[in-house]
């Protein structure tokens, strides 16, 4: 069974982070919130494993 | 006491008639008494009477109230109705449907087919106004009575007080001719969400109230929309925060609008105001009449236990869900299906009284499943928090272009029968390679047989059945019936009951749920499974 990793997993972490910030450029607070919600749903589907998602939710609430 | 109906009747089915009990010197005794002549009470009564158990139904009205109310009757309910003798009438009058479509604004975002396979006698759903369901049910009672089934429904018999003891209940009943008393060994309370019996016993009914109001407008019109369940989130026509359109018999269409929490109920029920909402949806030129209107709010809640000694609760009296998913009346009829054979077996002394505790276990499991599904649908339709709303809107937004989001669109997960996983009556699965859908605890799926008939017709409910598929049956205990079928000649049987297995034996309960299944079994194993399914010590 797959588990959540909290160890570095992105080869170019700075690029990924910058892409996230850039994507919010020019959006209002509301538009940003809505985009984040869609992004979370898209990433959940990409993960495709409810156990990993539960672990991620738990880690995020810590 | 002067008699004032709480609601007008659609059908007067059991007019008040003075009974000999009212003139008895000492209170007459009845083995089983049911309070409430609605779909659940009468279905329970009919199930018991067909098993030879004398049963008395008391209702404070003389028939069925007006208003279509429950309209979606699920496949499992139709199968139970078939067993009770009125399935064909329901099917003939009802509007058959299997498909639903969900829209956001103008876009179709999700579609579902509830019966994507063949080989079933009944469709996934029919739509039929509740008064018709009840009328066909009471007509089945009359037919059963004519054949000698010991069942009596007394209209305008209102229970006013009760005294429950360890071995039975005494009831005080008010009638147009005055009060009388009876005693009963068992009392089944099917007296609705506000259950006076539950209130009298001081029992709790806890859960969640949802802060939203829905307007029902049943309209009569000739329209050529297909018989599908259409649901809109944030509809382009702006008649409500959500809307639903669904066909019923006799050119009646169910329309629902979500109104929100802070409304002026009286103003919203003004026909002119309702017409305005309808005309936004249908256009100004559509010719229609308002047939029935109502505003409802809803709760999801249940009793902590359904059995309290000799008093047993069923249907809305025991559990209540939101209407999204058609899980109210359908689950109540399944309560009846579960309770009938068990109480009959206890009364015949074929089973210990503790068998009835499995009614509690199994139907609470089912109620929790219904409440979970209904709550999730309601949370999607009526998000409770800004965050919940944010994700709901994100799902709807994504669903137009991202297929993964479509199954998350939740306008109601429609009623399917519960699988009694973990029930104390189940024997652990002993059919390697057997399909998951027919594991112990599951309701038997129907299957077309080689001779043109259907499997469920052969599981008539009068007792347990041993379904034998290609295996050698052991010597059968007395009263157990074997049903030997050729799975090779029926692709449905093979797919639904064998899967990867070559042969199988299924022990099937009178309510058509699987109690045990094996690749091979001897007389001892079979006897143990049967004993266990009748509440014996495993």
């Amino acid at each position: 069974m797959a588990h959540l990793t909290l160890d570095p997993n992105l080869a170019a972490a700075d690029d990924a982070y910058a892409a996230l910030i850039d994507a919010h450029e020019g959006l209002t607070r509301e538009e940003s919130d809505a985009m984040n919600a869609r992004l979370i749903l898209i990433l959940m589907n990409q993960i495709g494993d409810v156990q990993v998602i539960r672990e991620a939710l738990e880690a995020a609430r810590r | 006491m002067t008699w004032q109906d709480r609601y007008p009747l659609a059908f007067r089915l059991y007019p008040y008639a003075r009974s000999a009990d009212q003139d008895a010197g000492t209170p007459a005794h009845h083995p089983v008494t049911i309070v409430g002549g609605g779909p659940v009470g009468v279905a329970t009564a009919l199930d018991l009477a067909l098993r030879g158990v004398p049963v008395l139904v008391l209702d404070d009205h003389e028939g069925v109230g007006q208003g279509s109310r429950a309209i979606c009757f699920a496949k499992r309910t139709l199968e139970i109705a078939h067993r009770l003798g009125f399935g064909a009438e329901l099917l003939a009058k009802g509007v058959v449907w299997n498909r639903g479509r969900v829209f956001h604004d103008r876009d179709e975002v999700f579609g579902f087919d509830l019966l994507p396979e063949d080989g079933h006698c009944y469709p996934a759903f029919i739509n039929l106004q509740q008064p018709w369901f009840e009328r066909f049910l009471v007509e089945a009672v009359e037919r059963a009575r004519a054949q000698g089934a010991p069942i009596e429904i007394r209209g305008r018999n209102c229970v006013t007080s009760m005294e429950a003891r360890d071995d039975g209940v005494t009831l005080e009943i008010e009638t147009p001719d005055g009060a009388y008393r009876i005693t009963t060994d068992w009392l089944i309370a099917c007296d609705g969400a506000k259950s006076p019996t539950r209130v009298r016993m001081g029992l709790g009914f806890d859960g969640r109230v949802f802060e939203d109001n829905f307007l029902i407008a049943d309209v009569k019109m000739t329209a050529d929309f297909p018989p599908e369940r259409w649901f809109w989130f944030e509809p382009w026509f702006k008649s409500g925060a959500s809307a639903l359109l669904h066909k019923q018999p006799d050119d009646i269409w169910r329309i629902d609008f979500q109104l929100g929490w802070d409304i002026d109920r009286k103003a919203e029920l003004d026909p002119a105001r309702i017409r305005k909402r309808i005309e936004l949806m249908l256009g100004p030129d559509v010719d229609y009449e308002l047939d029935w209107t109502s505003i409802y709010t809803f709760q999801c809640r249940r009793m902590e236990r359904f059995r309290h000694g000799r008093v047993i609760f069923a249907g809305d009296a025991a559990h209540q869900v939101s209407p999204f998913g058609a899980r109210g009346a359908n689950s109540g009829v399944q309560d009846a299906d579960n309770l009938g054979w068990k109480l009959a077996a206890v009364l015949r002394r074929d089973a210990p009284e503790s068998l009835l505790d499995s009614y509690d276990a199994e139907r609470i499991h089912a109620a929790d499943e219904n409440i979970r599904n209904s709550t999730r649908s309601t949370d999607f339709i009526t998000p409770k928090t800004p965050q919940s709303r944010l994700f709901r809107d994100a799902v709807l937004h994504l669903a137009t272009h991202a297929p993964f989001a479509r199954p998350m669109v939740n306008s109601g997960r429609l009623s399917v029968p519960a699988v009694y996983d973990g029930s104390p009556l189940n024997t652990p699965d002993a059919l390697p390679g057997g399909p998951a859908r027919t594991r112990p605890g599951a309701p038997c799926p129907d299957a077309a047989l080689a001779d043109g008939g259907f499997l469920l017709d052969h599981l008539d409910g009068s007792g347990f059945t041993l379904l034998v598929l290609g295996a050698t049956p052991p010597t059968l205990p007395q009263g157990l019936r074997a049903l030997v079928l050729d799975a090779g000649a029926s692709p449905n049987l093979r797919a639904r009951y064998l899967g990867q297995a070559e042969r199988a034996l299924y022990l099937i309960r009178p309510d058509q749920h699987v109690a045990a299944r094996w690749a091979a079994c001897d007389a001892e194993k079979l006897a143990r499974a049967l004993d266990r399914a009748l509440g014996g010590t495993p």
Side-chain angles (χ1 to χ4, degrees):
Chain A
M1 198 172 68
H3 282 285
L4 178 74
T5 178
L6 290 176
D7 293 327
N9 197 34
L10 284 164
D14 285 352
D15 289 350
Y17 185 80
L20 177 65
I21 301 305
D22 289 350
H24 284 275
E25 194 69 43
L27 300 186
T28 64
R29 173 67 188 269
E30 273 184 4
E31 289 166 343
S32 264
D33 285 349
M35 194 204 88
N36 277 336
R38 293 196 294 272
L39 180 66
I40 289 167
L41 292 167
I42 289 167
L43 295 177
M44 267 173 49
N45 183 61
Q46 183 66 32
I47 291 165
D49 182 333
V50 74
Q51 183 53 37
V52 175
I53 292 166
R54 285 187 206 284
E55 288 176 21
L57 290 168
E58 201 180 312
R61 273 191 72 111
R62 207 176 288 159
Chain B
M1 152 172 195
T2 46
W3 279 89
Q4 181 76 53
D5 282 346
R6 282 179 290 116
Y7 45 78
L9 298 186
F11 300 122
R12 194 161 173 257
L13 298 176
Y14 31 86
Y16 171 74
R18 193 177 173 89
S19 118
D21 289 0
Q22 289 166 258
D23 302 313
T26 53
H29 184 74
H30 296 266
V32 179
T33 303
I34 294 176
V35 182
V40 180
V42 179
T44 307
L46 181 53
D47 192 299
L48 284 162
L50 290 172
R51 297 178 196 287
V53 175
V55 56
L56 171 66
V57 180
L58 304 171
D59 194 90
D60 62 352
H61 285 67
E62 295 184 307
V64 190
Q66 279 177 8
S68 41
R69 293 167 289 148
I71 59 163
C72 296
F73 293 96
K75 181 176 167 52
R76 184 63 199 145
T77 300
L78 299 175
E79 289 167 352
I80 293 165
H82 183 79
R83 185 170 66 67
L84 297 177
F86 67 111
E89 286 79 358
L90 295 176
L91 194 57
K93 175 83 181 167
V95 173
V96 170
W97 67 278
N98 293 307
R99 303 176 73 87
R101 295 164 81 178
V102 184
F103 304 87
H104 179 213
D105 197 352
R106 283 179 193 276
D107 299 323
E108 181 168 349
V109 291
F110 183 55
F112 53 85
D113 183 346
L114 298 166
L115 190 59
E117 60 176 27
D118 63 4
H120 291 264
C121 181
Y122 285 93
F125 271 92
I126 62 161
N127 282 357
L128 181 67
Q129 294 88 336
Q130 186 176 333
W132 282 101
F133 182 91
E134 296 191 49
R135 179 173 164 164
F136 291 138
L137 171 56
V138 172
E139 286 171 0
V141 166
E142 295 307 326
R143 286 195 296 277
R145 237 155 83 91
Q147 302 286 315
I151 180 169
E152 187 189 349
I153 305 177
R154 291 186 191 163
R156 286 206 167 169
N157 272 240
C158 179
V159 175
T160 50
S161 72
M162 62 182 281
E163 184 203 333
R165 298 176 312 276
D166 287 349
D167 62 346
V169 183
T170 302
L171 297 173
E172 173 129 354
I173 301 159
E174 189 65 47
T175 75
D177 286 335
Y180 70 106
R181 289 153 78 90
I182 61 166
T183 57
T184 189
D185 293 327
W186 295 90
L187 181 72
I188 306 176
C190 306
D191 46 357
K194 292 176 185 158
S195 177
T197 305
R198 194 185 59 227
V199 173
R200 248 173 233 129
M201 293 177 73
L203 299 168
F205 198 43
D206 297 324
R208 281 177 56 188
V209 177
F210 291 88
E211 297 196 340
D212 215 327
N213 288 279
F214 285 75
L215 170 71
I216 296 179
D218 277 4
V219 306
K220 192 172 177 74
M221 63 175 176
T222 44
D224 51 7
F225 303 115
E228 298 175 338
R229 180 185 191 266
W230 286 8
F231 190 99
W232 288 263
F233 289 99
E234 301 176 323
W236 58 270
F237 45 81
K238 313 274 185 221
S239 303
S242 69
L244 175 121
L245 177 69
H246 215 172
K247 189 178 187 175
Q248 301 173 52
D250 303 326
D251 291 324
I252 304 286
W253 295 78
R254 164 67 51 91
I255 296 175
D256 262 22
F257 297 123
Q258 183 181 356
L259 302 184
W261 186 233
D262 284 318
I263 61 160
D264 178 344
R265 205 181 162 91
K266 207 170 151 214
E268 291 296 350
L269 280 169
D270 176 2
R273 187 135 172 182
I274 294 173
R275 285 181 169 276
K276 213 161 154 185
R277 289 185 188 274
I278 291 171
E279 280 150 35
L280 283 171
M281 179 183 191
L282 300 175
D285 307 323
V286 175
D287 207 18
Y288 67 90
E289 290 165 41
L290 288 179
D291 181 66
W292 180 63
T293 59
S294 174
I295 286 181
Y296 63 91
T297 57
F298 44 79
Q299 290 90 37
C300 285
R301 53 189 178 172
R302 71 160 167 87
M303 297 177 75
E304 199 183 325
R305 284 182 295 125
F306 298 169
R307 182 187 170 203
H308 291 264
R310 292 297 185 95
V311 183
I312 300 173
F313 292 83
D316 283 356
H319 45 75
Q320 209 187 348
V321 292
S322 82
F324 306 105
R327 288 167 181 268
N330 286 304
S331 68
V333 172
Q334 288 164 46
D335 289 345
D337 186 45
N338 190 284
L339 181 56
W341 70 270
K342 291 176 181 174
L343 186 52
V346 169
L347 287 166
R348 276 199 311 263
R349 302 191 191 285
D350 287 347
E353 209 174 298
S354 60
L355 174 62
L356 293 166
D357 292 332
S358 73
Y359 167 76
D360 232 36
E362 293 181 340
R363 293 314 297 167
I364 282 175
H365 170 80
D368 284 346
E369 184 172 298
N370 287 321
I371 287 171
R372 185 166 59 247
N373 276 291
S374 164
T375 301
R376 286 175 175 175
S377 302
T378 308
D379 282 342
F380 198 88
I381 295 165
T382 302
K384 291 184 311 297
T385 64
Q387 283 301 318
S388 175
R389 172 74 194 234
L390 186 68
F391 281 107
R392 194 289 294 268
D393 290 348
V395 167
L396 291 173
H397 181 120
L398 285 167
T400 53
H401 65 90
F404 87 84
R406 288 171 200 161
M408 291 179 177
V409 175
N410 192 342
S411 72
R413 302 290 183 228
L414 285 136
S415 174
V416 287
V419 175
Y420 302 138
D421 283 319
S423 165
L425 306 190
N426 295 349
T427 292
D429 196 356
L431 183 66
R437 67 191 287 190
T438 40
R439 65 188 181 276
C444 286
D446 208 354
L449 303 180
D451 66 6
F454 288 92
L455 174 65
L456 295 188
D457 250 338
H458 294 269
L459 306 173
D460 65 357
S462 58
F464 280 78
T465 303
L466 186 70
L467 171 64
V468 182
L469 301 171
T472 312
T475 313
L476 299 185
Q478 205 183 355
L480 181 63
R481 196 174 57 98
L483 174 64
V484 181
L485 293 172
D486 178 7
S490 161
N492 289 162
L493 272 182
R494 170 160 285 282
R496 294 168 200 173
Y497 289 84
L498 287 179
Q500 305 303 310
E502 278 181 26
R503 57 188 72 85
L505 300 106
Y506 279 78
L507 180 63
I508 298 168
R509 308 180 345 181
D511 59 3
Q512 301 174 337
H513 278 254
V514 176
R517 64 177 185 178
W518 306 267
C521 101
D522 56 24
E524 198 203 321
K525 273 187 194 166
L526 178 59
R528 264 210 309 271
L530 190 58
D531 185 50
R532 188 171 179 145
L534 281 166
T537 328

